Amino acid sequence: MSVFKKLRNEYVIWHANRIKFPIFVSKTILRKKVTFSGRVQKVGFRLEIYCIAQRMKLTGWVKNLEDGSVEAEIQGEESQIYFLVNCMQSLKRASVKKVTMIDVPNRDDNEIFTIVR
């Protein structure tokens, strides 16, 4: 791993761990497929989603797509999913131009959040 990538990853983890969460009141558990388009690769975007999702105990996965966008399936409380999406849209080191979100069926076999390589 390059020195730059290591430093970026350390910064991303530090940044994600500083985010203050509101009190989430929604109890509806659902799963969303979210696609982020714009300048979202090579900026620690997947790692940021991963860190925040883990802190909120969300399940699912995140991966880069060949077209330069990032796709994630996120399962948890509805308000938490929207909070995470809003955090990613406000990232200064990325430039999210478009977010698409669709409902997908919940999965019971998915107990962690992972980065798909």
Side-chain angles (χ1 to χ4, degrees):
M1 181 183 310
S2 73
V3 172
F4 171 75
K5 192 170 182 182
K6 184 178 185 301
L7 286 171
R8 183 202 65 205
N9 288 354
E10 288 173 3
Y11 170 78
V12 168
I13 292 166
W14 172 83
H15 185 267
N17 286 331
R18 288 188 60 232
I19 294 171
K20 302 270 189 276
F21 298 150
I23 295 175
F24 298 105
V25 292
S26 138
K27 295 295 177 219
T28 306
I29 302 295
L30 44 83
R31 189 175 188 92
K32 298 268 188 190
K33 181 177 279 191
V34 187
T35 306
F36 299 91
S37 303
R39 188 172 55 84
V40 292
Q41 290 190 13
K42 302 195 183 324
V43 293
F45 203 83
R46 289 178 304 163
L47 181 59
E48 183 100 13
I49 290 176
Y50 170 80
C51 291
I52 297 169
Q54 288 232 300
R55 283 185 59 206
M56 290 196 289
K57 297 178 177 36
L58 299 173
T59 60
W61 50 263
V62 61
K63 69 179 178 181
N64 284 340
L65 296 179
E66 286 184 17
D67 68 1
S69 58
V70 170
E71 182 178 77
E73 273 195 20
I74 308 165
Q75 183 169 312
E77 291 183 17
E78 186 172 23
S79 56
Q80 288 179 307
I81 294 171
Y82 283 105
F83 179 82
L84 173 56
V85 169
N86 287 335
C87 283
M88 300 314 296
Q89 287 181 286
S90 66
L91 266 188
K92 298 284 187 261
R93 68 179 178 281
S95 176
V96 177
K97 300 287 188 221
K98 182 179 171 194
V99 175
T100 57
M101 202 176 328
I102 59 168
D103 292 324
V104 292
N106 286 0
R107 292 183 50 181
D108 295 331
D109 62 339
N110 213 356
E111 297 191 359
I112 59 170
F113 197 90
T114 57
I115 295 175
V116 178
R117 304 242 185 256

